[in-house]
C-alpha cells in the first residue's frame, strides 16, 4: 500500500461515490472528511452537479470552502462567494443546443452560478426547481457552465448526441449508464452532460493544485464514472468505487467498497 502521509488534497465525486444510492452522505463518510480537513488537508467535492448542489453537499460533508461543479467548469469559494475559476459555454453554442432541444421536445437544464435555468420540458424530478426560460435571448450575459439534456426516449437523445458532436466548441462529458448500455426501455430518463471543450474535472483540479502549490502526487481522488477519468489523470493517487465503470477501475491505483458500503470512509480510515 502506498504512503499517504504527504497527501494535501482529497477530491471526491458525489453521486455514486461519496453519496449513497439515496443521494445522501452518511455520517460514516462524513467523519473521516472532517478529520482530513481538521488536519489541514483540502477536502474538495468535484461533481457534474450544479454549483448550488455541490456547495450544499460540501457543507453537509464538512468539506473545505471550495466546490468544483459542472464537471470542472466552475470552482467556487462559498465562504467568499467568489469564483476561483470558471469556463462558460458561449452563447452561440448555447443558442444552437437550446433551439434543437425545443424543436425536439428534449428537457434542457443549464447550470449557472447559483441557480439552474431550463426550458418548459420536464423528464427528471431532479430538476423540478429549475427556473423556466421561454426565450433563449434572456440568457445573454449570464454565465452558463454546463448543459444537461434529458429524454425518456433513447433515439431522441442519440440524435441530440450526433448534433452536439458536430459543434466545434462543445463536448459531452458524461452519459447515463442506461444510455451507454443502449437500454431501450429505461425506467429513468436518459441524460448527457455537455461542456465547453476547454474544461473538465482534471483541468479544474490541476488549476486548483497549481494555485495551492500542491504537487500531483500529494493529491488523491475518488470516483465512479467515466467523467472522472480526467480527474484520475490529474491526481497521483486514485481510488475507484466497487460500483465504478470498468473503464475507471482499469486505471485506478486502488478500488474500495461501493458507495452504498461507505467505500470512501473505509479507504480513508484504513490508510489515512
Amino acid at each position: 500500500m502506498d504512503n499517504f502521509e504527504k497527501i494535501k488534497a482529497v477530491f471526491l465525486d458525489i453521486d455514486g461515490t461519496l453519496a449513497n444510492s439515496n443521494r445522501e452522505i452518511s455520517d460514516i463518510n462524513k467523519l473521516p472528511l472532517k478529520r482530513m480537513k481538521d488536519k489541514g488537508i483540502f477536502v474538495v467535492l468535484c461533481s457534474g452537479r450544479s454549483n448550488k448542489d455541490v456547495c450544499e453537499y460540501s457543507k453537509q460533508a464538512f468539506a473545505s470552502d471550495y466546490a468544483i461543479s459542472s464537471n470542472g467548469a466552475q470552482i467556487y469559494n462559498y465562504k467568499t462567494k467568489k469564483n476561483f475559476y470558471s469556463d462558460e459555454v458561449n452563447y452561440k453554442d448555447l443558442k444552437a443546443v437550446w433551439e434543437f432541444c425545443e424543436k425536439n421536445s428534449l428537457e434542457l437544464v443549464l447550470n449557472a452560478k447559483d441557480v439552474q435555468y431550463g426550458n418548459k420540458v420536464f423528464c427528471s424530478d431532479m430538476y423540478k426547481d429549475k427556473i423556466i426560460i421561454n426565450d433563449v435571448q434572456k440568457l445573454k450575459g449570464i454565465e452558463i457552465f454546463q448543459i444537461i439534456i434529458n429524454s425518456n426516449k433513447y433515439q431522441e437523445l442519440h440524435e441530440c448526441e450526433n448534433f452536439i458532436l458536430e459543434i466545434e466548441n462543445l463536448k459531452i462529458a458524461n452519459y447515463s449508464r442506461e444510455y451507454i448500455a443502449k437500454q431501450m426501455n429505461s425506467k429513468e430518463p436518459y441524460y448527457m452532460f455537455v461542456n465547453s471543450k476547454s474544461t473538465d474535472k482534471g483541468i479544474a483540479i490541476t488549476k486548483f493544485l497549481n494555485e495551492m502549490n500542491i504537487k500531483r502526487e500529494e493529491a488523491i481522488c475518488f470516483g465512479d464514472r467515466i467523467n472522472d477519468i480526467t480527474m484520475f489523470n490529474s491526481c497521483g493517487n486514485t481510488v475507484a468505487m466497487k460500483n465504478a465503470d470498468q473503464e475507471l477501475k482499469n486505471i485506478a491505483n486502488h478500488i474500495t467498497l461501493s458507495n452504498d458500503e461507505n467505500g470512501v470512509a473505509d479507504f480513508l480510515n484504513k490508510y489515512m
Side-chain angles (χ1 to χ4, degrees), residues 52 98 102 106-111 115-133 148 150:
K52 180 181 177 181
W98 178 283
E102 284 286 276
L106 300 170
E107 180 181 22
L108 188 69
V109 183
L110 308 171
N111 288 351
V115 299
Q116 287 182 311
Y117 298 102
N119 62 7
K120 59 183 178 296
V121 180
F122 285 87
C123 295
S124 173
D125 290 339
M126 282 190 66
Y127 308 109
K128 60 185 179 181
D129 295 327
K130 67 182 180 182
I131 298 172
I132 303 300
I133 299 294
I148 302 167
N150 302 310

Side-chain angles (χ1 to χ4, degrees), residues 4-252:
F4 296 111
E5 292 181 359
K6 295 183 179 181
I7 293 295
K8 295 180 180 179
V10 180
F11 298 97
L12 303 121
D13 174 56
I14 298 175
D15 296 290
T17 301
L18 183 60
N20 59 29
S21 294
N22 294 321
R23 300 181 181 136
E24 299 171 343
I25 301 176
S26 70
D27 290 339
I28 294 173
N29 271 342
K30 292 176 184 177
L31 289 174
L33 299 187
K34 186 177 186 302
R35 176 167 55 84
M36 298 291 103
K37 183 183 174 183
D38 290 345
K39 288 170 61 175
I41 297 172
F42 286 105
V43 177
V44 182
L45 304 196
C46 185
S47 172
R49 281 180 173 264
S50 69
N51 179 56
K52 180 181 177 181
D53 282 355
V54 181
C55 289
E56 289 177 355
Y57 274 109
S58 295
K59 293 171 185 176
Q60 292 175 25
F62 307 109
S64 301
D65 299 332
Y66 296 93
I68 300 178
S69 60
S70 295
N71 279 304
Q74 186 180 10
I75 307 178
Y76 184 73
N77 185 315
Y78 51 86
K79 185 174 183 179
T80 64
K81 297 183 179 179
K82 293 181 179 180
N83 279 340
F84 178 90
Y85 160 79
S86 64
D87 186 9
E88 64 183 291
V89 175
N90 71 58
Y91 177 75
K92 178 183 176 182
D93 294 335
L94 172 62
K95 184 174 183 290
V97 176
W98 178 283
E99 291 174 348
F100 183 94
C101 290
E102 284 286 276
K103 180 181 178 180
N104 294 279
S105 299
L106 300 170
E107 180 181 22
L108 188 69
V109 183
L110 308 171
N111 288 351
K113 181 178 179 180
D114 298 312
V115 299
Q116 287 182 311
Y117 298 102
N119 62 7
K120 59 183 178 296
V121 180
F122 285 87
C123 295
S124 173
D125 290 339
M126 282 190 66
Y127 308 109
K128 60 185 179 181
D129 295 327
K130 67 182 180 182
I131 298 172
I132 303 300
I133 299 294
N134 294 315
D135 184 353
V136 66
Q137 292 192 46
K138 293 181 179 179
L139 295 170
K140 275 188 175 180
I142 296 176
E143 289 182 310
I144 300 298
F145 302 110
Q146 181 170 252
I147 301 170
I148 302 167
I149 303 168
N150 302 310
S151 176
N152 291 316
K153 297 181 180 179
Y154 176 90
Q155 188 58 37
E156 288 182 350
L157 196 67
H158 181 61
E159 291 171 3
C160 185
E161 175 189 15
N162 291 335
F163 176 79
I164 297 293
L165 293 175
E166 293 296 321
I167 300 178
E168 182 180 0
N169 298 314
L170 297 182
K171 66 180 177 183
I172 302 171
N174 201 12
Y175 304 86
S176 62
R177 282 195 170 107
E178 293 80 6
Y179 182 79
I180 293 174
K182 297 183 179 179
Q183 295 180 14
M184 298 301 175
N185 296 299
S186 173
K187 294 180 181 179
E188 298 294 325
Y190 304 102
Y191 68 77
M192 60 185 177
F193 292 175
V194 180
N195 292 89
S196 162
K197 275 189 178 176
S198 55
T199 194
D200 56 46
K201 287 187 177 185
I203 291 171
I205 285 175
T206 297
K207 288 182 179 295
F208 184 90
L209 293 177
N210 289 341
E211 186 68 23
M212 299 304 178
N213 197 28
I214 297 173
K215 298 177 182 178
R216 181 177 177 274
E217 57 268 26
E218 296 172 331
I220 186 170
C221 63
F222 294 75
D224 76 303
R225 294 300 316 277
I226 56 173
N227 62 323
D228 295 323
I229 290 175
T230 60
M231 179 168 69
F232 275 37
N233 291 337
S234 295
C235 294
N237 306 275
T238 59
V239 185
M241 312 304 290
K242 186 170 73 175
N243 53 286
D245 294 341
Q246 189 59 47
E247 191 174 354
L248 193 70
K249 288 182 180 180
N250 291 343
I251 64 170

